Amino acid sequence: MYTVSQGLALPQRAMVHLCLILAILPYALSTTVSSVSRIAGEVSLDPIVGTERRILNQVEADASSPAFAFVKVAGKQFSVGGRAWYPAGTNAFYAAQTDIMSSADVYLMFKAHAAQGVKVIRVFAHSDGYGFPDNIKTPNPIQPRLGVYNENALMRLDLVIAAAASTGIRLVLVFTNFEPFYGGIQWYVNEAVGQGQSKNLFYTHPNCKLYYKKYVNMLINRRNTVTGVIYRDDPTIFAWNLMNEPHTTDNYEINQGKKPGQIVAAWISEMAAFVKSIDSNHLLTTGEEGYRVRGDTSCCTNNWLNGGVKGVDFDTNVADRNIDFATVHAYPDNWGIAASDYKWYGPNFLADRASIAHAAGKPIVMEEYGSREGYLSSRNELLYYLQDQANALGYAGSMVWSLRHLDSQTGGYVFSYSQDGAAAVKAQLAYAARISGGTAPTPTPTPTPPSGGDCSSCRDNAPDTTYTCAQQASWGKCSESWMSGYCLRSCGKCSCTGGATCSDVAPSAAYSCAQQAAWGKCNESWMAGKCNKSCRRC
């Protein structure tokens, strides 16, 4: 994928995926079951002293009785069994490819990630054909020909799901790919329509749509050979992605005099309805990056993201009744945003997309985010920034691209638990652990909100020590009956007037009071006396 703004060709983010493939491929060729590289960070795994069968036996035993409940949408967040759940983790798109890792290595990967607190991993659940120019190939594809499915390759996907279940990790599984990795939509067009045809035909040609549906139907109704559970009945699967990064080639509709975003939106609507007709258990999302057609394009070069260049209408797609939550993929470096301007990204992209998703009453997930080496002095700096912004804006999950469980074969966008970037991701995993698992408390006597001129008692007293008032407010809990008398400032329940001048004086000219409030900064010490109106202190 490449991006264009005002005639400027930006770097292909296909390189993001290619970097990881090139990083792992030497490992795949050299590693054996008896010679597994050191696991990164503090993770300590039992040495493999037997055969792959021993590992597979363990997976079968661990996953034979999945204890998961299905993930559900709970307002703008997710829940499992009625308890809050924040999915934080990584992308390991290669896990289902037999040429990248051995079966035993798959289990070790999940065990290593689980030991670090990872709760979700996104995996490409497809591989099509044996390759064509510019395609990343596999010698063992799931779908070697249209409508023909390779049982040996599918058994690896069975193992991935079983290994995830056995280590307490959930999966986002992706049906196909805009990029030519392991086939993707160009492969469908080549096979179903003919060589040399535009990949954009995938969204409209009846043959392409037919074989995509056949593949999806096969996968959803497959019985796992390790666990015996049909995929549609397995709560290990958190969600399905219709596609990795659905969009058109640049300006495809605009160049034809058409309104951009319609082709992809129509395809998403049709396929989302189809998936839900055969699987009502799992959540479904588009897998898109967050491009708009109706956004602000007036301010600066970066706003090409809002003008329909990519043929994706984020607003329409999020609103589709069969799409359960929104996704964005966050790569300021790859999208041509100067390193000196990376903080443009939070208020102008992450905040904008969150407001659209939340207005539709749906969660939003930062499904991919990352930074290549050298963009900033430290990868941690950008990752911390993206995570902090997303958390303050009420994002419901995050998956970094890409965290390896081994110290070897890293670089580019890929790093391990002991390398640059790990500190930020570990902080995000800790954040996820803190806000997951809780239930709404039932407090005893509730204080009365102050009135009149005395504001001294208008404070943020949380109902318990599990969650802060800022979190309760961001989750929309202020109107709940058990919140009566609590979190008065965060919930804007102060009726006093004394001492708090009702005006918006921002702490700096860099960001407005509305932005500071949206990012959850009102209770920071440096915001005292600032942004009183936006922070609802009066």
Side-chain angles (χ1 to χ4, degrees):
M1 181 271 284
Y2 63 98
T3 52
V4 174
S5 175
Q6 299 178 350
L8 175 65
L10 302 178
Q12 293 193 9
R13 209 178 65 67
M15 293 303 296
V16 178
H17 303 275
L18 184 57
C19 286
L20 188 52
I21 292 173
L22 294 178
I24 292 173
L25 197 51
Y27 168 78
L29 297 175
S30 62
T31 302
T32 65
V33 176
S34 60
S35 61
V36 178
S37 300
R38 180 173 68 86
I39 302 300
E42 297 109 14
V43 182
S44 176
L45 298 181
D46 297 331
I48 303 177
V49 295
T51 63
E52 287 192 13
R53 184 66 254 169
R54 178 175 178 177
I55 298 293
L56 300 185
N57 287 342
Q58 182 63 45
V59 171
E60 290 172 349
D62 291 346
S64 60
S65 301
F68 289 160
F70 286 101
V71 179
K72 302 294 183 183
V73 168
K76 300 170 187 176
Q77 305 294 321
F78 300 111
S79 69
V80 175
R83 303 178 74 85
W85 184 70
Y86 182 100
T90 188
N91 285 261
F93 76 93
Y94 49 85
Q97 310 305 326
T98 58
D99 57 313
I100 298 295
M101 303 170 72
S102 73
S103 297
D105 294 336
V106 170
Y107 178 65
L108 291 178
M109 180 192 74
F110 277 101
K111 190 175 180 183
H113 283 311
Q116 293 285 358
V118 166
K119 295 302 181 186
V120 63
I121 294 179
R122 184 167 173 259
V123 175
F124 287 6
H126 68 274
S127 53
D128 309 306
Y130 293 96
F132 53 89
D134 299 323
N135 182 31
I136 304 301
K137 305 176 183 180
T138 176
N140 192 32
I142 294 175
Q143 186 175 204
R145 296 185 303 279
L146 282 175
V148 176
Y149 310 119
N150 176 0
E151 179 64 17
N152 180 266
L154 283 165
M155 289 173 68
R156 163 54 66 85
L157 187 57
D158 294 345
L159 176 66
V160 166
I161 296 172
S166 74
T167 53
I169 291 175
R170 296 177 190 267
L171 300 171
V172 175
L173 297 181
V174 186
F175 290 134
T176 192
N177 196 356
F178 176 87
E179 303 293 351
F181 299 124
Y182 300 112
I185 68 173
Q186 184 66 68
W187 179 84
Y188 276 93
V189 172
N190 290 352
E191 298 297 312
V193 183
Q195 298 288 328
Q197 300 296 313
S198 168
K199 69 193 309 179
N200 298 295
L201 290 176
F202 175 83
Y203 299 110
T204 58
H205 198 283
N207 289 351
C208 294
K209 293 197 286 186
L210 171 65
Y211 281 103
Y212 174 86
K213 288 180 178 178
K214 284 186 174 183
Y215 182 79
V216 168
N217 183 68
M218 178 277 298
L219 209 61
I220 288 176
N221 288 294
R222 175 175 174 78
R223 185 178 296 278
N224 192 308
T225 57
V226 179
T227 66
V229 180
I230 297 174
Y231 282 21
R232 69 169 182 272
D233 298 327
D234 193 339
T236 309
I237 301 169
F238 159 36
W240 302 108
N241 266 186
L242 289 176
M243 184 189 299
N244 178 56
E245 300 179 349
H247 61 279
T248 65
T249 54
D250 288 3
N251 293 306
Y252 178 71
E253 289 160 296
I254 293 173
N255 290 341
Q256 299 178 63
K258 298 178 180 178
K259 181 181 177 182
Q262 294 182 317
I263 291 174
V264 172
W267 181 87
I268 285 173
S269 180
E270 179 180 348
M271 298 308 161
F274 174 74
V275 172
K276 286 294 188 178
S277 73
I278 57 176
D279 182 0
S280 60
N281 291 326
H282 292 107
L283 301 184
L284 177 66
T285 191
T286 63
E288 68 189 86
E289 295 153 280
Y291 299 123
R292 296 186 65 192
V293 303
R294 289 173 275 174
D296 177 20
T297 58
S298 62
C299 89
C300 47
T301 302
N302 299 336
N303 270 345
W304 65 267
L305 297 165
N306 295 331
V309 170
K310 291 295 181 182
V312 179
D313 187 348
F314 180 82
D315 307 51
T316 295
N317 299 339
V318 171
D320 189 284
R321 65 187 183 90
N322 290 307
I323 296 300
D324 294 300
F325 62 95
T327 63
V328 297
H329 294 183
Y331 298 97
D333 56 344
N334 187 73
W335 285 354
I337 297 173
S340 60
D341 199 25
Y342 77 89
K343 290 188 177 180
W344 174 93
Y345 203 78
N348 292 284
F349 180 79
L350 293 177
D352 179 75
R353 275 46 173 186
S355 68
I356 294 167
H358 291 163
K362 297 182 181 181
I364 183 169
V365 170
M366 193 160 63
E367 188 181 62
E368 290 185 24
Y369 69 103
S371 174
R372 68 176 184 272
E373 289 180 302
Y375 178 58
L376 301 178
S377 59
S378 168
R379 185 187 285 114
N380 274 315
E381 181 179 352
L382 182 61
L383 298 188
Y384 270 124
Y385 173 76
L386 295 174
Q387 292 168 181
D388 290 348
Q389 293 287 302
N391 295 344
L393 290 163
Y395 275 66
S398 58
M399 286 162 259
V400 71
W401 189 292
S402 175
L403 186 58
R404 280 267 285 158
H405 66 297
L406 301 174
D407 285 334
S408 59
Q409 311 301 331
T410 57
Y413 287 83
V414 186
F415 57 96
S416 76
Y417 286 105
S418 64
Q419 297 171 349
D420 181 30
V425 177
K426 287 179 180 179
Q428 186 70 354
L429 295 175
Y431 168 82
R434 286 196 304 272
I435 68 172
S436 293
T439 54
T442 305
T444 48
T446 58
T448 302
S451 60
D454 180 15
C455 291
S456 61
S457 60
C458 187
R459 299 174 180 173
D460 266 351
N461 296 316
D464 69 0
T465 59
T466 305
Y467 303 113
T468 67
C469 284
Q471 289 173 329
Q472 299 286 9
S474 70
W475 300 333
K477 301 299 184 183
C478 290
S479 60
E480 299 287 338
S481 59
W482 50 267
M483 280 284 285
S484 176
Y486 291 94
C487 300
L488 302 177
R489 283 187 180 246
S490 290
C491 291
K493 297 178 180 177
C494 299
S495 57
C496 59
T497 57
T501 302
C502 195
S503 63
D504 266 351
V505 178
S508 74
Y511 302 110
S512 69
C513 283
Q515 289 172 330
Q516 299 287 7
W519 300 333
K521 302 300 184 183
C522 288
N523 292 318
E524 299 289 339
S525 59
W526 49 267
M527 281 284 284
K530 306 293 184 180
C531 301
N532 289 326
K533 186 174 182 180
S534 290
C535 290
R536 305 175 74 176
R537 299 190 186 114
C538 49

